[in-house]
Amino acid sequence: MAKVTKRKVQPFIRGDLSLSDIWYREERGQHVRCVPFSSLRARLPLDFPAPRALDAATFSSVEEVLRQVEGMRVAATAGAAVTIRKIWLHFDDPSRQQLKEKLDRLYAEWRTATAHYSRMDQRAMHMAYLSIIGMGPEVIPLILGKMQEAPGEWFLALQAITEANPVPEESRGVISEMTEAWLNWGRERGYITRRPGDPAGSGSVSALALGEFQKD
Amino acid sequence: LENFKKTSEETINYNCLSWALHDTRRKWDPGSEQYYWPKGAATNGLMGTLIGILKELGFAMCSDGSLEVGFEKIAIYSMSGGVAWDHVARQLPDGQWTSKLGELLDITHTDLESLTRSGNKPGYGEVSWFLKRPLGTDGGETKIAQTQT
C-alpha cells in the first residue's frame, strides 16, 4: 500500500501575470508560450512543492487550471500526497500583436534607411534600431521567430538586449551559423517565438499546465 | 546610383569588405564580436585600422585606381574626409569596379564616381585611398582565419 503523506496545496495564481513572465518553449514538437514555474514561485505558498519532472495536461482556460489545482488541493486534503511537478501557462495577449507590429515597422524603417551601409556599428546607431533594442526582453521571442523565418540583422539587437553572445569563434561572420547559434540559445532558454500557425495576439486565453499527482 | 550593372541578388551573408576580399562566406565587420574581424585588430571603423588590416593581407598603398596589369586594386570610400571608412570597392581585371552595397546587391560600376556622393546624389562620400596587391595573392585571409581559430 502506498505511503500517504498529507500536503496542502493552494491555488497558485494570484493576480495577473505580466508579459515579461511569458517564456517560450518547445514541448513535444509544439511551440508554446509559457509561464515558467519560477515566475509563479513568488505567487505560491512558501511550502508549495518545487517542480521535478514533466507531465502534461492541457486546459482551455486559466479558470480550468485553477479548478484542476483546486482538485489537487482537495485530493491532498483527502490524504493523497500531491506534488506539482511543473506548471506552465501559455496564453495569447492582444498586446503581443501590437508588439509584433511595432517590431516589424521599426525593422522595415531601419532597413530602408541603412541597408546600403557597410558597417553594423553605423547601422545600429539608427534610431529605429535603437528603438528595437529599447523594446527589451519582450521582443526576444519575436526576434527569434523572425530569424527562423528569414535571415536578418538581428544579432546586435539580441546581444544588446540579452548581453549574451552565443556565436562561437569559428562561426563569426557566417550568417547562417550565427543565426543557428542564436536559435539554439533561444531553445536552450525556453524562448520560442510562436507556434506554427499561431495568430499571435488573437486575444484568446488558453493554458497548459504541467503537473501530476504523486503518491508515495 | 549611376553607371552600374546588378550582378547578384540581395544578401546579408557578406558586406562590401568581404566582397572586396573575395570572402563571401563571412561578414567582415567591426561592429560586434559576432562578426568576423581579424583578431587583434581594433574594433572601430577608423580608416587607419582598415588600412592596417589590408596591409596584413598583402596590400600596399598606391596613388590611383588606374588599371595595372598583374595587380588587384581596391578603393576605400569615406564620408568623413578619410577619418572612417564607409565602403570598399574592388577593381575588376577589365578596369571596371565591383561593389557590394551593404546588405543589398552586388554591382559592377564603370567608374568609382558612380558611388561617390555629390549634391543630392546619395553615395559613400569620396574615395580616400587606393591599395593594391599582386593578382592571385591569397591575401592572408586564410592565415588570419587560421590564427583566429
Side-chain angles (χ1 to χ4, degrees):
Chain A
M1 183 176 176
K3 180 183 177 184
V4 176
T5 304
K6 289 186 179 180
R7 181 175 291 172
K8 189 177 182 182
V9 178
Q10 300 289 341
F12 56 88
I13 297 179
R14 297 175 180 174
D16 295 329
L17 297 166
S18 71
L19 198 60
S20 61
D21 287 325
I22 302 173
W23 281 25
Y24 298 79
R25 289 187 65 87
E26 187 168 353
E27 299 283 2
R28 302 173 184 182
Q30 293 290 311
H31 294 172
V32 294
R33 276 173 274 184
C34 310
V35 177
F37 184 87
S38 57
S39 292
L40 294 169
R41 200 71 185 91
R43 299 177 174 85
L44 301 175
L46 288 176
D47 61 347
F48 200 88
R52 293 192 308 199
L54 191 69
D55 193 10
T58 302
F59 303 92
S60 60
S61 68
V62 171
E63 289 70 27
E64 192 173 336
V65 176
L66 287 169
R67 282 196 295 274
Q68 175 72 8
V69 171
E70 176 62 11
M72 293 179 181
R73 189 188 68 77
V74 170
T77 303
V82 177
T83 299
I84 305 298
R85 288 187 162 183
K86 217 164 195 175
I87 300 170
W88 301 100
L89 301 178
H90 73 88
F91 51 91
D92 294 328
D93 188 316
S95 64
R96 287 191 55 76
Q97 182 63 27
Q98 296 171 4
L99 203 66
K100 182 176 181 300
E101 289 171 0
K102 181 179 179 182
L103 183 67
D104 289 344
R105 173 176 56 78
L106 287 171
Y107 190 77
E109 178 187 336
W110 171 74
R111 193 170 183 281
T112 299
T114 70
H116 62 289
Y117 285 8
S118 303
R119 304 196 327 258
M120 273 303 296
D121 57 335
Q122 292 175 311
R123 301 186 68 193
M125 291 304 292
H126 190 274
M127 188 54 69
Y129 204 80
L130 295 174
S131 296
I132 289 173
I133 294 170
M135 291 172 77
E138 289 180 2
V139 296
I140 294 171
L142 293 175
I143 290 177
L144 293 173
K146 297 284 182 190
M147 295 173 81
Q148 283 180 311
E149 293 170 1
E153 281 290 0
W154 300 103
F155 309 108
L156 265 65
L158 283 173
Q159 185 176 3
I161 293 170
T162 66
E163 298 185 54
N165 174 16
V167 178
E169 191 162 324
E170 64 273 16
S171 295
R172 290 179 179 176
V174 184
I175 297 297
S176 60
E177 295 178 12
M178 294 165 68
T179 301
E180 194 53 39
W182 274 106
L183 292 177
N184 286 335
W185 177 92
R187 290 185 190 104
E188 289 166 3
R189 282 154 185 80
Y191 289 107
I192 290 291
T193 55
R194 63 178 173 79
R195 292 168 291 179
D198 178 17
S202 62
S204 65
V205 177
S206 60
L208 171 68
L210 307 175
E212 73 165 25
F213 291 92
Q214 178 183 318
K215 294 186 178 181
D216 298 325
Chain B
L1 297 182
E2 302 167 344
N3 305 323
F4 76 95
K5 182 175 69 177
K6 172 183 170 181
T7 56
S8 82
E9 299 302 320
E10 295 181 4
T11 177
I12 68 168
N13 287 344
Y14 54 94
N15 60 3
C16 66
L17 183 55
S18 309
W19 180 244
L21 296 173
H22 306 272
D23 183 4
T24 56
R25 181 174 174 267
R26 297 176 298 189
K27 191 166 195 170
W28 291 52
D29 195 314
S32 161
E33 59 268 36
Q34 296 185 67
Y35 300 108
Y36 177 74
W37 197 242
K39 199 169 187 176
T43 52
N44 56 43
L46 295 179
M47 184 69 75
T49 300
L50 177 60
I51 289 176
I53 291 169
L54 293 172
K55 285 183 174 177
E56 285 290 313
L57 298 175
F59 284 94
M61 310 293 279
C62 61
S63 58
D64 58 44
S66 60
L67 186 62
E68 287 186 47
V69 176
F71 284 92
E72 175 181 68
K73 289 189 176 181
I74 60 175
I76 309 176
Y77 290 74
S78 174
M79 293 192 285
S80 54
V83 175
W85 63 275
D86 291 285
H87 180 67
V88 182
R90 168 166 48 90
Q91 193 176 42
L92 294 168
D94 65 359
Q96 295 190 90
W97 295 83
T98 181
S99 285
K100 169 74 159 72
L101 306 180
E103 67 173 66
L104 302 173
L105 61 163
D106 303 342
I107 63 169
T108 294
H109 42 114
T110 54
D111 53 51
L112 292 168
E113 288 68 35
S114 302
L115 298 184
T116 57
R117 175 186 285 177
S118 64
N120 292 328
K121 182 173 84 68
Y124 294 108
E126 299 293 331
V127 176
S128 292
W129 296 100
F130 294 96
L131 293 94
K132 68 177 182 180
R133 69 180 176 185
L135 269 175
T137 303
D138 173 5
E141 293 93 331
T142 306
K143 180 183 72 178
I144 286 181
Q146 285 171 345
T147 57
Q148 189 185 40
T149 55

